[in-house]
Amino acid sequence: MAEKKALLILADAAVIKAGANIEKFTKKAAFMSYTGSDLAARAAKVEGVVSTSVENAAAELEKGTSFTVVTMAGANDAALDAALGPILEAADRRTTIIVAGKGVLAFQGMAVAKGAEITGPVTVADVVPTLCAMVDVNIPVGLADGRVLYQVMKDPNSRLRDMDSLRESIRSMDAAMERDSRAPWDKHDCA
């Protein structure tokens, strides 16, 4: 199974409104206003993050890079629209894309609730923890000052369900071991 991937596009001058690729992106996106700066520096602290140019962003997605940051300093909507074409083409169903524009964030991907809006205050401190939670990447200790924006997630309880499933599997294995039964594991090569 493919791993979850995240792509953070920092387009500080874009308002994320005009263009065919932007329209395709925003149809399935969740939007919010945010304040603050230094999002690139915060994202750079995530373990395994790859910073790349817009020209190489699609290649990083195709390679399966967990967390990629693309900085498009001064990029307006026309430049963002041109960049989104190959990125959307390379993105698969397990890719979450966040575009940080001029005071607006747009999240799109499998974990995102389409059309969700957060009306309360959002700061750059909230972006990286939210993205890390969506794609199962460790939140750096120094960035734990932000909150995870569960309102933007399609299933805010997915991690709890995953943990419940793992606990049930462990209970099942423990019960089989107590019975001195290896079923269903005795049918596998690893048994």
Side-chain angles (χ1 to χ4, degrees):
M1 176 167 63
E3 294 295 317
K4 296 176 184 177
K5 298 175 282 190
L7 178 68
L8 174 60
I9 302 171
L10 305 171
D12 58 352
V15 292
I16 315 174
K17 291 200 184 256
N21 292 317
I22 289 175
E23 185 177 314
K24 181 179 176 182
F25 172 79
T26 59
K27 278 183 183 178
K28 299 177 183 176
F31 285 91
M32 66 208 71
S33 297
Y34 79 105
T35 59
S37 60
D38 238 7
L39 186 52
R42 289 172 101 41
K45 294 179 181 177
V46 175
E47 186 178 328
V49 69
V50 173
S51 292
T52 191
S53 66
V54 70
E55 295 82 18
N56 294 327
E60 290 297 332
L61 286 176
E62 289 169 356
K63 278 193 330 191
T65 304
S66 296
F67 194 156
T68 305
V69 177
V70 175
T71 302
M72 299 178 64
N76 59 14
D77 276 10
L80 177 61
D81 189 62
L84 274 175
I87 289 170
L88 293 174
E89 190 71 29
D92 61 23
R93 65 178 191 83
R94 298 187 55 85
T95 304
T96 300
I97 301 171
I98 294 103
V99 177
K102 187 176 185 175
V104 65
L105 290 170
F107 285 72
Q108 188 231 55
M110 82 169 199
V112 178
K114 182 172 95 175
E117 289 187 39
I118 298 177
T119 55
V122 174
T123 68
V124 293
D126 304 327
V127 177
V128 173
T130 301
L131 187 54
C132 289
M134 287 179 158
V135 297
D136 300 332
V137 174
N138 290 331
I139 300 170
V141 175
L143 300 182
D145 57 338
R147 63 192 168 118
V148 175
L149 302 169
Y150 289 105
Q151 304 93 318
V152 79
M153 293 183 185
K154 190 181 296 181
D155 183 7
N157 294 312
S158 64
R159 289 215 170 171
L160 290 174
R161 269 189 269 297
D162 290 347
M163 291 302 294
D164 288 343
S165 176
L166 289 171
R167 284 186 193 105
E168 183 56 37
S169 295
I170 290 170
R171 277 193 284 275
S172 174
M173 287 190 311
D174 285 345
M177 290 173 74
E178 282 180 25
R179 292 188 311 265
D180 197 28
S181 166
R182 295 176 54 168
W185 301 281
D186 58 356
K187 297 179 181 146
H188 295 283
D189 292 349
C190 62

